Amino acid sequence: MILPVVAYGDPVLKKPAKPVEPGYPHLQEFIADMYETMHNASGVGLAAPQVGLSIRLFVVDSSSFEKEGSPGFRQVFINPEIKEEEGKEWIFNEGCLSIPGIREDIRRQPLIRIRFADENFVLHEKTYDGMQARIIQHEYDHIEGILFTDHISPLRKRLLKKKLLDISKGIVDVDYRMKFPLAKK
Ligand code: NI
């Protein structure tokens, strides 16, 4: 089932999310819905708060994003903890399904070590680099209540203010279902 994506300005996007307990009701169904919602919106990552559920879970599928020859990866991260971030920050022009039509250059470190549970609550600890690390860092931010617009300069943010407000109101061109916090009823 495709879920509506919560737009910029909804308080759920600013709230640190809660850990997921094993036995969480309908978890497998929810994960399937997350993948479906993300693919439908042509996204490479989606965090639970973006569909209005404040739990520490996100899905990633970068297959569409990887250059030819690179396999891409698909993974659900439950209760993830980034243990380490390393290397010289690099810039990438990031976007977000909750903030359609806006992309900004964001600096992040290139290498991460992360511990997480998969959909069966089996624990993993893995390292990721480059674009995979970038996607994970962006989604991880979501479960901490952080958006990429929180990483840009105050000046840049002032310049985007009107556009961000329009997104909250639903005045934006988007081809997937969204829920806008300031939409007129
Ligand atoms: Ni995002």
Side-chain angles (χ1 to χ4, degrees):
M1 186 173 63
I2 293 167
L3 307 168
V5 175
V6 169
Y8 182 91
D10 192 305
V12 74
L13 295 176
K14 299 299 291 176
K15 200 163 87 176
K18 295 240 156 44
V20 187
E21 305 292 336
Y24 189 90
H26 310 294
L27 189 65
Q28 303 311 325
E29 206 179 313
F30 179 66
I31 291 168
D33 290 348
M34 290 281 290
Y35 275 118
E36 196 183 344
T37 302
M38 175 176 69
H39 290 141
N40 174 63
S42 306
V44 292
L46 183 70
Q50 292 183 276
V51 294
L53 199 54
S54 193
I55 60 172
R56 303 183 76 81
L57 181 156
F58 59 82
V59 298
V60 162
D61 184 354
S62 70
S63 8
S64 69
F65 210 59
E66 302 283 335
K67 292 193 186 75
E68 257 177 74
S70 168
F73 80 121
R74 179 188 157 106
Q75 180 74 56
V76 49
F77 294 80
I78 298 174
N79 301 333
E81 277 175 68
I82 291 184
K83 309 303 278 184
E84 235 175 303
E85 292 187 272
E86 265 181 54
K88 190 174 175 296
E89 289 184 336
W90 66 293
I91 292 172
F92 183 76
N93 196 240
E94 292 188 20
C96 180
L97 294 181
S98 294
I99 315 174
I102 295 182
R103 299 192 72 93
E104 287 292 317
D105 284 347
I106 306 297
R107 294 171 177 278
R108 298 187 193 270
Q109 288 183 285
L111 192 70
I112 61 165
R113 189 160 58 84
I114 186 168
R115 183 183 295 167
F116 62 95
D118 63 21
E119 60 271 42
N120 302 311
F121 279 91
V122 177
L123 284 175
H124 301 268
E125 191 164 313
K126 288 187 182 173
T127 57
Y128 293 97
D129 62 6
M131 195 51 71
Q132 297 188 345
R134 165 79 55 169
I135 298 167
I136 292 167
Q137 287 161 320
H138 177 113
E139 298 312 323
Y140 187 85
D141 270 358
H142 273 300
I143 62 171
E144 296 286 5
I146 298 166
L147 300 171
F148 79 75
T149 46
D150 295 319
H151 291 295
I152 63 179
S153 72
L155 172 65
R156 204 54 216 139
K157 190 140 186 195
R158 265 205 305 284
L159 293 171
L160 290 174
K161 204 176 164 194
K162 168 78 165 62
K163 247 178 142 179
L164 290 168
L165 185 62
D166 280 351
I167 292 172
S168 301
K169 291 175 177 168
I171 307 167
V172 63
D173 198 20
V174 65
D175 59 5
Y176 46 90
R177 228 174 116 212
M178 292 194 80
K179 186 174 158 256
F180 301 101
L182 300 179
K184 289 217 173 71
K185 294 281 164 346

